[in-house]
Amino acid sequence: MKLLRYGPPGLEKPGMLDSSGTIRDLSGIVPDIAGSVLSPEGLKRLAALDPSSLPAVAGRPRLGPPVSGMKQLLCIGLNYADHAAEAGMPIPKEPILFLKANGALCGPDDDVIIPRGSSKTDWEVELCIIIGTTARGVSEDAALDHVAGYAVGNDVSEREWQLERGGTWDKGKGCDSFGPVGPWLVTKDELPDPQALPMFLDVDGQRMQTGSTATMIFGVKQIVSYVSRFITLHPGDIIFTGTPPGVGMGMKPAPVFLKPGQTMRLGIAGLGEQNQKVVGA
């Protein structure tokens, strides 16, 4: 099942993508894709619906983030060994956990805004975990019981601010528009193995990143269990799980960063694609 939210920013309605690719309006069934709707019982109720009985949404509306009501956007850093190598950093012995400001969250095709003063804005295609039920100190064996599904994410990053401005990654990760997620939430029953998903990212049609979640150092079960030891996870919370190699700061012979007017296209098998235009602030 593919769940989504469509409409203008701040006014999104809940929806479902049917097998023909048509958006079906869920606003008569649930108020939003949030809270208890993401629980096993809530998802079971939606899965039992006949999509053809729901109103079809005309045209190609803007898609917002596929969930709302999250308390946290969390990220795992350097979770692919080859990306750690291109960044010149050691392979972590346990997950590197940092936060991304909730204000960074945006729709999958919204513009990515290069902030004023930025010279090193970069891209990162990532698998996002979307939490369905509260997780606090859960075991790896029970971790997936708390996952509603998965989505594509672009962990846009300002590398100077992340790495050269005082040692905290957050200030280079939380700018407005630095967290596109979507186009939809794909429930975990459609992706029984989240550790076997090819992924890619193009800039202006040139392939920059090619990878697979199979090469993650810490997998989905480990990440959910690990994070829940330190931070209680709530329905709708999103975890960005790291990126494969091919980011701009790792390019040889010299780093390459985003400029206004460029476009990004990125996707993960089974989860859909994003398309973003890069604009100046």
Side-chain angles (χ1 to χ4, degrees):
M1 186 167 53
K2 295 179 175 66
L3 302 176
L4 53 87
R5 299 170 67 249
Y6 68 95
L11 298 173
E12 293 94 345
K13 294 182 178 181
M16 172 190 294
L17 194 74
D18 70 17
S19 59
S20 71
T22 298
I23 296 174
R24 299 285 178 166
D25 180 17
L26 281 173
S27 61
I29 308 296
V30 295
D32 209 341
I33 308 298
S36 62
V37 173
L38 296 167
S39 69
E41 296 77 16
L43 295 176
K44 184 177 180 181
R45 180 186 177 208
L46 294 183
L49 297 172
D50 176 5
S52 65
S53 69
L54 301 169
V57 178
R60 296 172 58 87
R62 169 193 173 268
L63 297 181
V67 293
S68 70
M70 72 289 300
K71 290 180 179 293
Q72 291 128 176
L73 296 181
L74 305 110
C75 303
I76 304 298
L78 301 178
N79 197 27
Y80 291 70
D82 34 14
H83 171 56
E86 73 174 351
M89 298 180 182
I91 295 173
K93 295 180 179 179
E94 58 182 278
I96 295 173
L97 173 61
F98 62 95
L99 301 178
K100 199 173 184 78
N102 283 11
L105 185 67
C106 64
D109 300 331
D110 290 347
D111 291 347
V112 166
I113 304 166
I114 296 180
R116 286 192 180 94
S118 166
S119 60
K120 297 182 180 180
T121 298
D122 205 347
W123 56 82
E124 294 189 8
V125 59
E126 305 202 6
L127 172 71
C128 286
I129 303 167
I130 299 178
I131 299 299
T133 57
T134 301
R136 182 184 298 109
V138 301
S139 67
E140 289 186 20
D141 289 343
L144 292 186
D145 295 340
H146 299 272
V147 173
Y150 307 97
V152 181
N154 188 353
D155 179 18
V156 183
S157 308
E158 211 299 338
R159 300 302 188 187
E160 179 189 0
W161 300 357
Q162 175 191 357
L163 301 171
E164 303 171 36
R165 297 291 296 275
T168 58
W169 286 15
D170 303 42
K171 66 183 72 171
K173 295 284 190 173
C175 302
D176 292 349
S177 80
F178 272 25
V181 176
W184 30 73
L185 178 163
V186 179
T187 52
K188 64 185 178 185
D189 57 293
E190 289 198 15
L191 290 171
D193 185 4
Q195 306 305 154
L197 305 176
M199 55 208 305
F200 75 91
L201 183 144
D202 297 343
V203 177
D204 287 344
Q206 181 178 354
R207 184 60 43 94
M208 297 297 191
Q209 289 186 276
T210 302
S212 169
T213 59
T215 63
M216 288 167 61
I217 299 168
F218 306 104
V220 170
K221 292 181 181 180
Q222 291 171 289
I223 289 170
V224 172
S225 174
Y226 182 87
V227 173
S228 76
R229 296 182 208 169
F230 308 101
I231 298 173
T232 298
L233 298 170
H234 299 273
D237 283 357
I238 299 172
I239 307 176
F240 288 74
T241 62
T243 197
V247 299
M249 73 173 179
M251 292 293 163
K252 301 292 188 286
V256 176
F257 297 110
L258 292 167
K259 297 179 176 60
Q262 292 187 304
T263 59
M264 290 182 282
R265 174 176 167 261
L266 57 146
I268 300 177
L271 296 179
E273 295 186 1
Q274 302 183 355
N275 291 273
Q276 294 128 19
K277 182 179 178 181
V278 181
V279 301

